[in-house]
Amino acid sequence: MLVCAPVRSLGVLPLRLLVALALLAGRSEAQVDPSGPWRTLHTPHFRIHFRPAYRDVALTEAREAERAYALLASELHPPRGTVDLTLGDDIDGSNGFTTVFPSGRITILAPAPATDPGLLQYDTWLRLVTTHELAHVFHLDRTRSFWAVAQHVLGRAPGLFPNEYQPTWLVEGLATYYESRFTNGGRVRGSFHTQLLAADRAAGASRSSRDAEPFTRWSDGFAPYAYGSRFLQYVAATVGDSAVPRLVEATAAQLIPFRVGRQVERVAPGRTLAGLWPQATAPSAAPGAPAAGTRVLDSLLRTEPVPSVSPDGRRVAYLADDGKGASELRVLDGETLRRVAAHAVNGNASYGWDGDTVVVAQLDYTGRRQLRSDLYRWVPGGVWRRETHGARLTQPAGRSVAIELRPGANRPTVPAPADPGRGEGEGEREGAETWEAVVPSPDGRWMAGTRNAAGRWALVRWPADTPVAAVVLVESRSVLADPVWTPRGELWFVADPSGFPQVYAWRDVGGGIAQALTAEPLGARSPAPLPDGTLLYSALTAGGWELRRAPALADGLPARFSEPLPFDSAPPLAVPARETGYAVWPSLRPHFWIPFFLNAGPTGRFGGAVTAGTDALHRFTYAADLLLAPQPFRVTGDFILLSDVLGNPTLDFSASSAWLDVAAPPGVTLSELSQAAAVGAAFVRRRWRSLASVRVAAEVQRFRYAAAPDSALAAACPACLARDLIGGSATLALSRVVAGALSVSPEDGFSWSLTYRRRDERGTGRWSNELRSQLALYAHVPGGGLGGFAHSVLAVRLAAGGLDGSLGSLYRVGGVSSGSVALSFGQSLGVRRLFPIRGYRYGELAGPRAATGTVEYRLPLALVGRSLGHLPVGADRVWLNAFADAGDAWDPGTSPQLTRLRSAGVELAGAVTVTYNLLLQLRLGLAEPLAAPPSGAARRASVYFAFASDF
């Protein structure tokens, strides 16, 4: 009988191809919709890909990219080849992504920052993000010594870029250092990183060079940027500007690439990494103290709480994100500050009041790859409804005031004044002027907002009906943000002239002054005035954000703001950019090969190579291998192609031909040639917490046999007859789950799939039908775990399947299942089973009917967030799984015994980092079979090791 295999799809391709495809999953994947029309600008060092509607932005980007290239090339060795740079506008977020494998590629999300305090220190968004991401290309592309020789032979193969092995604080810190060195902005100059580092120092929790990695514990992904950039800035200031380029050259040549300390000693003689680190990364807090009577309302938050008070002062809204589940918009009573309502929100939530209604802007999918910020209206305790679809609005303030997200420059939805200080040569129109927030006064007569024009921040006030009468109240080199009106018509805002953000009030006296209302040692952001004269604000600590209430300072000092720096436009291109349609081949062509060997015993010893590739937009992704055996001469190979050229669905095609050794009598070599091909289409519909997909596929399989000597085939294997199978399948999958940054499991939701598969054997009339389904349910358990850092979760999985037909296929029940982890150079670990039961061997039972069930209790133990000594390995978080499995396989017409196999056990599970930023989940388990194995094997407990849970 045949053992039932899964539907022919990506999951059953040879491991070497799965590895190649996994290696292509770079940071730029799926950030743009590759379908539809795209154009390309060709400059001396770049291919800039853009939508036709954004041609003007692309022309500006071409100049900015060449400017950044020239500046970086003055210090660092230039990268090899042309860099593909994609301007994306499918996500209403501000970010960039870079990979140097299989070639240098950058994706930039064009909307300028509006709600992220860490990214607001920029002159123009395109300049800052381009310089940062291109610095990654210069740094990571550099190879010397052994690495250069290996790439000369194998091409740009994964694993052969030594600077990719560097600590994350060095990789991200270097790019952040250069974004600050070669622009008038940058996070080294910004106050947010100063807050993070000073908060750690104040709590005695400053991170060492081994722990400044993106662990899940706060400050998670911010830590490597803040610590790394301040360290390199300090080294450059004390040792000399050439120290950073020399460090890049040194690490690009060392055989053990993650040993950074030795190279620091070489570029800074007489100094050590351990000695320089605390001096560079532990700034002191600002002088001052929280006001007397300060009260903490909420703490340990992972997102800035941003309080907002209703016009009548009776309600306060703020964002509560503790990392354990979904973020919540909470509403408090304005007098008692007790919670009266809450509603889950998505990412990048911002909000304001319109009477007694909260207007919320948040992200959600409007298409498979389109993530837009839209407005919702919520009466606390009442109805929540969506108001816009694809409107791209954020920072709502009242009924009709918000900020519209645009590539390079954000604009208010109400008439606003143009920058009166923008002179000739001070920046292109695109990106020269962008607004952070605009707010109406309580009586609606006035508007105020904070604006950035080429690095010149301004607090602007104007009559609501006469924008041309605007007055610039404050102008500064550093960020001005978070404007808000008090009930009495006073204008408050946040600025950081002292290096730490504080709340200021504008006073129209003596020509106008900005008077400090807070003197928080670690800074204060997002003020919200209460009717009694006190204020709410956001403060930062070593454990995360806090929401605080305090009286405003009555005698705060006036602020002195630094003059904005002059802005130099990117110079014109020496040679005008050439525009063409988008072409896939320059980036799609093979850039590497990896040797691969396969020993199939007497059938043949095969040798060959694997390669893979994807184009800059990810329209096409492929992997292929070809292996030859000289004696007997045989060929085996595989090919897979994925295409997103249609956007939705994703198309896939695969083909394989493999020789396998088959058991045979002595003196006879019996070989099976298995050939298969499949084509499929997957339709996906996404929402913030839910996913629905349908995949349909057609497949063919061909089996042939050969024996040595040839005459022995019939005698050695009478059943080894040529067979051809043809079939198809359809899979429906639905899921809706909640997961926070600290979660150890999906929570409060479900995941369900249903698969139907049909196969027919040509020329015989034999056939098979298969129907199988799996359902997983998740619910968080109140009270948390021993570690208290996340929710405990109760998870249940039910799986069932049935096979009919004369092909005689069977399911196998038993064994350990896990998610798979793909590693480099042809290594892949982890096996997923359809019907696992821990404590029994795989295939302990087999039959055309099968069903299994699992109950797991997942208990958080510890949030570690530490590296293991000087090794590039760290422990992130640890939890415990207590489980019970049961199931059976049976024949049609017989009654199942669903506890025929049953087991119980525990697993110590954890998330670990490898090579600093590759996060793996591992399980060490002990399973005790509670029923004797039907095979007659001894019943005894088993210990196993596996990767992440498969549900």
Side-chain angles (χ1 to χ4, degrees):
M1 286 188 175
L2 297 175
V3 175
C4 180
V7 177
R8 180 66 182 176
S9 65
L10 303 188
V12 296
L13 288 173
L15 297 182
R16 53 190 180 273
L17 285 196
L18 290 177
V19 170
L21 286 172
L23 291 169
L24 290 173
R27 285 180 286 179
S28 63
E29 185 176 9
Q31 300 301 334
V32 299
D33 182 352
S35 64
W38 284 82
R39 304 288 291 171
T40 301
L41 289 178
H42 301 263
T43 72
H45 301 104
F46 297 90
R47 290 185 292 263
I48 299 175
H49 312 296
F50 62 96
R51 293 285 191 186
Y54 300 133
R55 186 175 186 275
D56 290 342
V57 179
L59 288 169
T60 300
E61 176 59 24
R63 294 190 291 274
E64 291 292 352
E66 289 294 346
R67 171 192 178 275
Y69 193 102
L71 290 170
L72 290 165
S74 69
E75 294 202 3
L76 302 174
H77 192 282
R80 296 157 291 167
T82 301
V83 179
D84 286 285
L85 192 156
T86 301
L87 278 175
D89 191 40
D90 292 304
I91 297 176
D92 285 346
S94 306
N95 212 333
F97 311 88
T98 297
T99 181
V100 293
F101 165 78
S103 62
R105 301 170 186 200
I106 296 171
T107 299
I108 290 174
L109 302 186
T115 60
D116 187 340
L119 289 178
L120 291 177
Q121 188 73 52
Y122 62 87
D123 38 18
T124 74
W125 167 243
L126 290 181
R127 174 167 293 185
L128 181 125
V129 68
T130 301
T131 305
H132 181 99
E133 298 304 329
L134 188 58
H136 280 316
V137 176
F138 273 74
H139 177 208
L140 302 178
D141 183 79
R142 186 62 175 141
T143 56
R144 298 175 58 213
S145 184
F146 157 80
W147 305 97
V149 173
Q151 284 203 14
H152 183 74
V153 176
L154 301 176
R156 301 177 67 91
L160 295 183
F161 294 86
N163 285 337
E164 287 267 22
Y165 294 99
Q166 301 302 304
T168 310
W169 65 258
L170 181 54
V171 174
E172 295 298 348
L174 184 138
T176 306
Y177 163 76
Y178 276 115
E179 85 182 27
S180 306
R181 178 170 170 76
F182 290 141
T183 75
N184 287 342
R187 283 165 279 187
V188 171
R189 294 186 178 94
S191 59
F192 180 64
H193 283 182
T194 303
Q195 284 184 277
L196 289 174
L197 299 178
D200 283 352
R201 177 179 178 178
S206 292
R207 300 194 184 203
S208 70
S209 60
R210 298 188 299 274
D211 295 332
E213 296 299 317
F215 294 113
T216 304
R217 67 181 176 97
W218 178 261
S219 54
D220 54 58
F222 297 120
Y225 293 81
Y227 279 88
S229 61
R230 295 301 173 93
F231 174 78
L232 293 176
Q233 175 78 5
Y234 181 82
V235 169
T238 56
V239 179
D241 291 344
S242 67
V244 176
R246 287 187 286 119
L247 180 61
V248 172
E249 291 295 297
T251 57
Q254 64 179 352
L255 188 60
I256 304 176
F258 58 82
R259 299 179 66 179
V260 177
R262 175 176 296 182
Q263 305 309 327
V264 170
E265 294 173 12
R266 289 181 177 177
V267 302
R271 309 188 185 206
T272 65
L273 175 60
L276 289 168
W277 187 267
Q279 303 171 51
T281 61
S284 300
T294 298
R295 174 185 170 192
V296 176
L297 304 180
D298 207 343
S299 62
L300 302 179
L301 303 175
R302 300 178 67 87
T303 304
E304 186 179 358
V306 191
S308 178
V309 181
S310 64
D312 60 8
R314 297 178 58 196
R315 294 288 185 264
V316 174
Y318 79 97
L319 184 63
D321 175 17
D322 60 7
K324 297 181 180 182
S327 299
E328 284 186 340
L329 184 61
R330 292 180 181 171
V331 174
L332 311 179
D333 181 271
E335 183 176 348
T336 65
L337 297 180
R338 293 181 178 176
R339 186 165 73 172
V340 296
H343 197 286
V345 292
N346 302 342
N348 284 13
S350 57
Y351 37 88
W353 290 88
D354 178 18
D356 62 352
T357 300
V358 187
V359 182
V360 182
Q362 64 175 4
L363 293 175
D364 207 345
Y365 286 94
T366 58
R368 182 173 180 178
R369 294 179 179 85
Q370 287 72 37
L371 193 57
R372 297 303 188 206
S373 184
D374 275 296
L375 298 184
Y376 300 74
R377 297 180 68 85
W378 177 47
V379 177
V383 176
W384 173 285
R385 64 180 177 86
R386 186 169 189 161
E387 190 169 68
T388 66
H389 190 87
R392 312 192 66 180
L393 300 176
T394 188
Q395 299 282 62
R399 177 173 296 276
S400 59
V401 181
I403 298 296
E404 181 184 358
L405 297 170
R406 298 182 180 181
N410 304 327
R411 298 283 187 269
T413 56
V414 295
D419 170 31
R422 189 176 68 88
E424 186 68 26
E426 286 196 63
E428 301 299 325
R429 188 69 217 168
E430 303 88 357
E433 182 179 306
T434 185
W435 291 79
E436 183 263 343
V438 169
V439 290
S441 64
D443 59 10
R445 297 174 55 198
W446 293 89
M447 304 292 291
T450 49
R451 179 186 66 201
N452 178 7
R456 187 173 58 253
W457 280 92
L459 175 67
V460 187
R461 184 180 64 192
W462 67 94
D465 57 355
T466 318
V468 294
V471 176
V472 175
L473 305 178
V474 176
E475 197 166 54
S476 173
R477 178 190 311 174
S478 58
V479 175
L480 305 174
D482 303 337
V484 63
W485 296 87
T486 71
R488 297 185 300 273
E490 195 171 68
L491 182 59
W492 292 1
F493 64 101
V494 170
D496 53 11
S498 66
F500 287 86
Q502 301 292 350
V503 180
Y504 294 86
W506 177 255
R507 312 288 191 198
D508 285 310
V509 295
I513 62 169
Q515 182 180 2
L517 300 180
T518 61
E520 280 282 355
L522 297 175
R525 296 183 185 271
S526 56
L530 290 168
D532 63 1
T534 62
L535 75 154
L536 303 172
Y537 60 90
S538 304
L540 198 60
T541 72
W545 291 95
E546 289 186 351
L547 176 63
R548 295 180 181 177
R549 177 186 184 180
L553 295 179
D555 55 354
L557 297 176
R560 299 181 62 184
F561 297 94
S562 55
E563 289 293 323
L565 296 172
F567 178 81
D568 295 324
S569 295
L573 298 175
V575 178
R578 178 173 58 92
E579 183 175 343
T580 67
Y582 174 71
V584 300
W585 180 248
S587 54
L588 184 66
R589 67 175 181 84
H591 289 80
F592 73 94
W593 66 281
I594 300 175
F596 193 87
F597 301 94
L598 176 66
N599 186 354
T603 292
R605 291 174 173 81
F606 294 84
V610 180
T611 191
T614 185
D615 67 290
L617 297 182
H618 286 265
R619 279 185 174 176
F620 300 97
T621 301
Y622 69 91
D625 67 60
L626 183 67
L627 290 80
L628 306 177
Q631 186 63 37
F633 180 78
R634 285 170 175 167
V635 179
T636 182
D638 303 273
F639 178 76
I640 179 171
L641 175 68
L642 304 178
S643 175
D644 283 309
V645 69
L646 299 179
N648 200 14
T650 294
L651 307 177
D652 63 83
F653 170 77
S654 62
S656 66
S657 179
W659 284 96
L660 306 173
D661 197 49
V662 180
V668 176
T669 298
L670 186 59
S671 305
E672 178 189 80
L673 174 62
S674 175
Q675 297 175 316
V679 61
F683 299 81
V684 177
R685 179 179 174 86
R686 303 181 69 177
R687 288 293 181 264
W688 188 256
R689 296 184 182 89
S690 62
L691 179 72
S693 66
V694 175
R695 183 179 184 272
V696 293
E699 59 180 296
V700 294
Q701 287 182 287
R702 183 173 180 266
F703 298 92
R704 297 294 185 269
Y705 298 88
D710 292 340
S711 59
L713 178 58
C717 185
C720 292
L721 303 176
R723 292 185 297 121
D724 295 289
L725 301 175
I726 186 169
S729 64
T731 299
L732 170 65
L734 303 173
S735 67
R736 180 178 177 83
V737 295
V738 172
L742 301 173
S743 297
V744 300
S745 167
E747 305 175 12
D748 300 332
F750 73 95
S751 176
W752 173 74
S753 66
L754 176 69
T755 296
Y756 171 75
R757 186 188 188 198
R758 169 79 183 197
R759 293 195 301 168
D760 290 277
E761 186 174 278
R762 296 179 62 187
T764 67
R766 301 172 68 200
W767 58 276
S768 74
N769 278 333
E770 177 187 6
L771 185 66
R772 69 173 185 270
S773 182
Q774 179 173 293
L775 173 66
L777 303 172
Y778 310 93
H780 87 271
V781 179
L786 297 178
F789 70 89
H791 294 148
S792 295
V793 176
L794 182 64
V796 177
R797 175 177 58 188
L798 303 173
L803 289 158
D804 288 309
S806 51
L807 282 177
S809 301
L810 301 177
Y811 290 120
R812 287 185 173 179
V813 176
V816 176
S817 181
S818 73
S820 63
V821 178
L823 306 176
S824 60
F825 299 113
Q827 303 298 311
S828 182
L829 300 175
V831 178
R832 186 181 296 270
R833 312 287 190 194
L834 291 177
F835 299 101
I837 298 181
R838 287 160 283 193
Y840 297 91
R841 66 177 179 86
Y842 174 59
E844 182 63 39
L845 291 176
R849 302 285 189 271
T852 57
T854 295
V855 177
E856 282 193 5
Y857 186 78
R858 298 167 179 173
L859 178 71
L861 295 180
L863 184 63
V864 183
R866 304 285 180 185
S867 291
L868 303 181
H870 293 277
L871 298 175
V873 178
D876 186 66
R877 57 195 191 276
V878 181
W879 64 95
L880 189 72
N881 299 330
F883 67 85
D885 295 340
D888 190 17
W890 66 96
D891 293 322
T894 63
S895 298
Q897 302 175 36
L898 296 181
T899 57
R900 188 177 176 191
L901 298 184
R902 55 189 184 275
S903 64
V906 294
E907 295 174 339
L908 182 64
V912 301
T913 57
V914 180
T915 64
Y916 298 108
N917 58 8
L918 175 62
L919 192 65
L920 302 178
Q921 291 190 9
L922 307 175
R923 297 179 292 151
L924 177 63
L926 174 66
E928 174 68 35
L930 302 180
S935 63
R939 180 186 138 191
R940 57 173 175 264
S942 60
V943 177
Y944 58 89
F945 177 84
F947 287 94
S949 175
D950 62 342
F951 82 104

